């Protein structure tokens, strides 16, 4: 969903999500405890959106925590928030992000904590990151309760080290 100024918000219908109606704009939102920058294919075009990048820069400076999932780390880098920092991003995007310079992409961690900046590799790693942050903000027992409520019990049906059957 492209970022826009406060005067131009309108309902959106992102892929597979249904209709999205914002409660606030970039200009009138309340203070943020946590800024979550999502990834996905849209980051490749939004990295050139000066309105969004300036808002990410400003919002991340004011938020207690700044987080990203997948290629959202690209937007954090462009905004300056992730420059000089350690981050995680989607494995298929790691080289591209590293090539932008002044960033260390950690390839062997599902999520990376660098001070108040927390970034994750992909979608399931983002869930792990979010549960870690819930634990940090509200305690381990609360994070476990959230995990149980979500029925998040990672149990991949296929193991990466399992030989392929022929």
């Amino acid at each position: 969903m492209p970022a826009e100024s406060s005067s131009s918000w309108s309902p959106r219908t992102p892929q597979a999500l249904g209709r999205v109606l914002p409660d606030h704009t970039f200009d009138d939102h309340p203070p943020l405890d946590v800024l979550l920058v999502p990834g996905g294919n849209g980051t490749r075009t939004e990295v050139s959106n000066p309105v969004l990048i300036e808002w990410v820069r400003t919002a991340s400076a004011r938020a207690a925590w700044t987080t990203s999932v997948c290629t959202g780390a690209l937007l954090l880098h462009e905004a300056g928030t992730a420059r000089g920092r350690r981050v995680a991003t989607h494995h298929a995007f790691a080289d591209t992000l590293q090539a932008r310079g002044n960033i260390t992409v950690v390839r062997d961690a599902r999520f990376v904590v660098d001070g108040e900046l927390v970034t994750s590799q992909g979608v399931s790693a983002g869930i792990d990151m979010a549960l870690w942050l819930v634990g940090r903000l509200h305690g381990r027992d609360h994070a476990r309760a959230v995990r149980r409520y979500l029925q998040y019990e990672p149990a991949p049906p296929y193991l990466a080290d399992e030989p392929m059957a022929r």
Side-chain angles (χ1 to χ4, degrees), residues 24-152:
H24 298 281
T25 67
F26 287 170
D27 299 328
D28 74 354
H29 65 81
L32 304 177
D33 296 320
V34 177
L35 170 63
L36 169 62
V37 179
N41 289 333
T43 59
R44 277 48 146 223
T45 56
E46 293 303 315
V47 73
S48 300
N49 181 333
V51 173
L52 175 64
I53 297 305
E54 182 56 34
W55 181 82
V56 168
R57 179 180 297 115
T58 302
S60 65
R62 294 179 181 157
W65 292 92
T66 298
T67 67
S68 72
V69 175
C70 195
T71 57
L74 170 65
L75 301 177
L76 291 177
H77 180 272
E78 187 65 21
T81 306
R83 292 194 185 167
R85 310 288 288 274
R86 298 171 62 246
V87 301
T89 192
H90 191 276
H91 66 88
F93 196 70
D95 290 338
T96 302
L97 183 57
Q98 186 72 55
R100 292 180 72 87
N102 198 18
I103 194 167
T104 301
V105 177
V106 180
R107 297 163 193 264
D108 61 350
R110 290 178 57 75
F111 66 93
V112 173
V113 179
D114 186 340
E116 74 293 339
L117 176 65
V118 190
T119 55
S120 70
Q121 289 180 335
V123 174
S124 64
I127 296 170
D128 294 347
M129 174 192 72
L131 289 170
W132 176 86
L133 188 56
V134 168
R136 184 69 184 249
L137 295 172
H138 303 288
R140 198 176 268 190
D141 289 341
H142 188 74
R144 287 181 175 141
V146 169
R147 182 184 54 80
R148 277 191 305 275
Y149 182 79
L150 295 174
Q151 294 185 291
Y152 181 62

